[in-house]
Amino acid sequence: MVIAVSLGSEVANAQLLSMGLNAKQIYFAEQQREKYGKRVRYYLSNCLCGLMAWQDKNQSSHIIERDADLIEFVYDRLADDRSRDIFVSRIALCLVGESYGALNEFLDEYSDTVIENTKKFGLSWSSPMAETEYKYYFNQDFIEYNDNEVFVDVGAENGNTVIPFIEHLYQKNLKPKHIYAFEPDPDTFRFLKQNVGGVEYVSVENSGVGSKNGELRFRKSSMFGAYRYCGHISPDGDISVNIHTIDSYFIDTPVSFLKFDPSGDAIIAGLEGASGIISQRKPKIIAGAYHQIENLYRIPKMLLELDSNYRVYLRHLAFHANETHAFAIPA
């Protein structure tokens, strides 16, 4: 039995200990609350919303067994040992089911956010100065930058990766040549426009990206308490949104960096619609590999198929189970 509560964990912890359980059997005790931040509701809302790790473990086991050859193919072609370790451990995390103990161990070992903030703030890295996961999209040691970066952010949300990209380049005394931010959700787009729409070299688009131009139904974002969860393409969506392909939108634009992190299968569709730009321009690519268990290996495989010379890395960016990303770097 795993008991997780956001309030009153001290009382629950004491009761469980008095019943004869030991500390190792209580996976969300006060010490772990302190370790992963006191904003427990934020932590839990992230963990409980769309987790690849929390899918039915019997279903996950079937998927992994079915795709064993593909998994081995991708494992052998990942660019470094850390990527291969994350790959195996992330699959293992899916197979154990809903275990905060296993999740905590994974984060200790592989989360960029947890590792760096623990070094800075110790066990109490809930400090207001703690870094968020968004900066880790761009400060990976295998990515190089220059003054001609044309960055395309697909699934830009409220600008939470556009702003860290600008900041990271400025820290290197560089300035982006231009940034294009796509966000189809009209509610979220208002925040995007408000946050970065006034920057001279940033263009914001209230539209999505896919495998072909047209319109698709879209389910708008929703709120869970104080937290907003982004919308997604859905046949029974609330509204219709415009969809562009990267290839058609950027015919004469020297794109150097693509980031894909919308929900569901939109990443696969977006990469399909960017195949021409990718083969011609060889941009750096970041793609979310966590929305479904298969994406952990389907996304790297697709990146390698688009250009076999890419070096593909995996990194886990956040202090929760989401945000495992594939990075494709041109040779």
Side-chain angles (χ1 to χ4, degrees):
M1 178 183 296
V2 178
I3 295 179
V5 291
S6 60
L7 298 175
S9 64
E10 299 91 341
V11 175
N13 187 50
Q15 291 177 348
L16 291 169
L17 291 173
S18 69
M19 292 167 59
L21 277 74
N22 61 57
K24 290 183 178 180
Q25 294 171 297
I26 305 171
Y27 292 130
F28 204 64
E30 178 63 20
Q31 182 180 6
Q32 286 160 313
R33 276 192 62 184
E34 188 74 12
K35 184 174 186 178
Y36 292 108
K38 294 180 179 178
R39 293 169 292 180
V40 178
R41 293 177 187 173
Y42 177 69
Y43 174 77
L44 287 177
S45 66
N46 276 289
C47 285
L48 297 176
C49 194
L51 278 190
M52 184 173 75
W54 296 166
Q55 289 179 355
D56 179 80
K57 62 182 180 182
N58 292 325
Q59 180 183 359
S60 296
S61 178
H62 170 73
I63 292 170
I64 296 301
E65 184 177 355
R66 180 196 69 195
D67 294 340
D69 290 343
L70 177 54
I71 290 169
E72 185 174 357
F73 173 87
V74 171
Y75 176 87
D76 290 339
R77 286 160 180 80
L78 291 172
D80 65 355
D81 288 340
R82 185 165 185 80
S83 297
R84 288 185 283 273
D85 289 345
I86 290 173
F87 187 66
V88 171
S89 298
R90 196 66 185 80
I91 290 173
L93 187 60
C94 296
L95 295 177
V96 299
E98 188 173 348
S99 169
Y100 283 99
L103 174 60
N104 290 345
E105 290 181 11
F106 175 84
L107 295 173
D108 278 346
E109 186 70 24
Y110 299 115
S111 165
D112 287 350
T113 309
V114 170
I115 291 168
E116 183 168 331
N117 284 299
T118 299
K119 288 179 181 176
K120 289 182 177 180
F121 305 109
L123 294 181
S124 297
W125 64 267
S126 55
S127 162
M129 297 175 64
E131 302 283 2
T132 67
E133 64 257 32
Y134 302 114
K135 63 167 280 188
Y136 300 100
Y137 280 82
F138 309 109
N139 72 342
Q140 303 295 334
D141 57 11
F142 46 77
I143 304 178
E144 296 181 358
Y145 299 92
N146 57 57
D147 265 324
N148 295 311
E149 297 291 352
V150 176
F151 177 52
V152 179
D153 192 336
V154 178
E157 297 189 5
N158 62 1
N160 53 23
T161 46
V162 169
I163 294 170
F165 178 71
I166 294 171
E167 292 174 343
H168 189 75
L169 262 62
Y170 270 65
Q171 289 171 4
K172 295 179 173 292
N173 296 315
L174 299 171
K175 180 181 176 181
K177 185 175 181 179
H178 205 85
I179 297 172
Y180 298 87
F182 291 83
E183 176 51 56
D185 189 306
D187 296 330
T188 307
F189 178 77
R190 286 198 291 271
F191 293 105
L192 174 67
K193 188 174 182 179
Q194 175 183 315
N195 291 337
V196 300
V199 180
E200 60 178 342
Y201 50 78
V202 176
S203 300
V204 294
E205 277 281 355
N206 188 196
S207 58
V209 167
S211 59
K212 58 184 179 180
N213 295 326
E215 292 186 353
L216 290 172
R217 300 302 297 175
F218 187 86
R219 183 173 293 281
K220 294 171 65 176
S221 61
S222 59
M223 297 294 292
F224 179 72
Y227 310 106
R228 175 176 293 277
Y229 296 104
C230 289
H232 57 277
I233 300 295
S234 173
D236 60 349
D238 317 273
I239 58 173
S240 179
V241 297
N242 290 324
I243 301 294
H244 303 285
T245 68
I246 295 293
D247 287 346
S248 64
Y249 195 95
F250 295 102
I251 295 174
D252 298 317
T253 304
V255 174
S256 66
F257 202 160
L258 292 168
K259 174 234 152 183
F260 293 89
D261 196 22
S263 300
D265 287 331
I267 295 174
I268 298 288
L271 287 169
E272 289 174 350
S275 58
I277 290 291
I278 291 171
S279 63
Q280 295 165 20
R281 300 288 184 182
K282 314 290 192 237
K284 300 178 282 287
I285 303 171
I286 301 175
Y290 61 91
H291 295 98
Q292 300 172 20
I293 185 172
E294 298 97 318
N295 282 7
L296 191 64
Y297 43 89
R298 282 202 304 168
I299 297 292
K301 178 178 181 288
M302 188 171 186
L303 293 169
L304 290 166
E305 288 175 342
L306 289 168
D307 189 324
S308 60
N309 291 319
Y310 271 124
R311 291 180 57 79
V312 176
Y313 299 81
L314 287 179
R315 291 295 184 267
H316 189 84
L317 308 185
F319 66 94
H320 46 77
N322 293 327
E323 307 295 339
T324 304
H325 289 266
F327 296 76
I329 307 301

